[in-house]
Amino acid sequence: MIDMHTHWRPSEVADALRARTKEPRIVRNADGAEVLKSRMGDEPLATAFDDVDVHLARMDRQGVQTSVLSLLGSFCWIESQPPEVASRLCRRVNDGFAAICAAHPGRFAAFAALPLTDIAAAAVELDRAMTLPGVIARSCRAISS
């Protein structure tokens, strides 16, 4: 079985989330612990990002041979930032996806994240991402800020 649309919460964007002034963002709660604050509420940083080993165990339990990674919708804001910000963040996410795919051959593939506010930059990143291990395509999603 192939899971064609595995929403992923990449830890590669944690620093960018700390710098944001609106949700989703990482803030310190009243106890001083970092949490991912989003429209879904506050989530402790320890559980806010996906873990490859946890996902592999779930895949094995469910009989999934391969999962295709793509950004979770609430993380798609990186694609709609100004081009100089979006390009850097998308590159980090795509490199992270490729590292997962390379470390677990055949278990993962990935849809590239693209800087959608600049079509030329998106084309450049897509060309680059398609040379990375496991990147197979680009998924479609709406732009959100």
Side-chain angles (χ1 to χ4, degrees):
M1 180 180 350
I2 298 173
D3 179 352
M4 289 298 297
H5 203 74
T6 300
H7 293 129
W8 199 257
R9 300 173 301 168
S11 61
E12 289 83 2
V13 299
D15 288 339
L17 285 162
R18 287 183 182 98
R20 286 180 59 84
T21 58
K22 62 182 178 176
E23 296 175 1
R25 62 191 181 132
I26 293 175
V27 298
R28 292 208 178 269
N29 65 14
D31 297 328
E34 282 190 312
V35 296
L36 176 61
K37 187 174 194 61
S38 72
R39 66 177 185 235
M40 304 303 286
D42 294 358
E43 184 171 2
L45 211 55
T47 59
F49 301 106
D50 286 309
D51 179 272
V52 173
D53 292 331
V54 169
H55 190 72
L56 282 167
R58 184 179 324 126
M59 289 169 61
D60 290 342
R61 280 192 314 274
Q62 296 173 348
V64 174
Q65 176 61 36
T66 303
S67 285
V68 181
L69 307 174
S70 63
L71 283 173
L72 179 67
S74 60
F75 282 72
C76 289
W77 59 270
I78 72 168
E79 297 174 320
S80 63
Q81 298 302 300
E84 63 279 0
V85 175
S87 291
R88 179 177 45 82
L89 291 172
C90 289
R91 191 171 26 253
R92 287 186 76 185
V93 166
N94 294 334
D95 289 347
F97 283 166
I100 293 169
C101 293
H104 305 280
R107 298 304 310 266
F108 293 99
F111 293 127
L114 301 176
L116 299 177
T117 55
D118 183 327
I119 296 303
V124 167
E125 179 56 17
L126 180 60
D127 286 344
R128 186 192 79 84
M130 292 300 294
T131 68
L132 299 173
V135 177
I136 57 172
R138 164 66 170 92
S139 62
C140 299
R141 2 182 192 302
I143 297 175
S144 63
S145 59

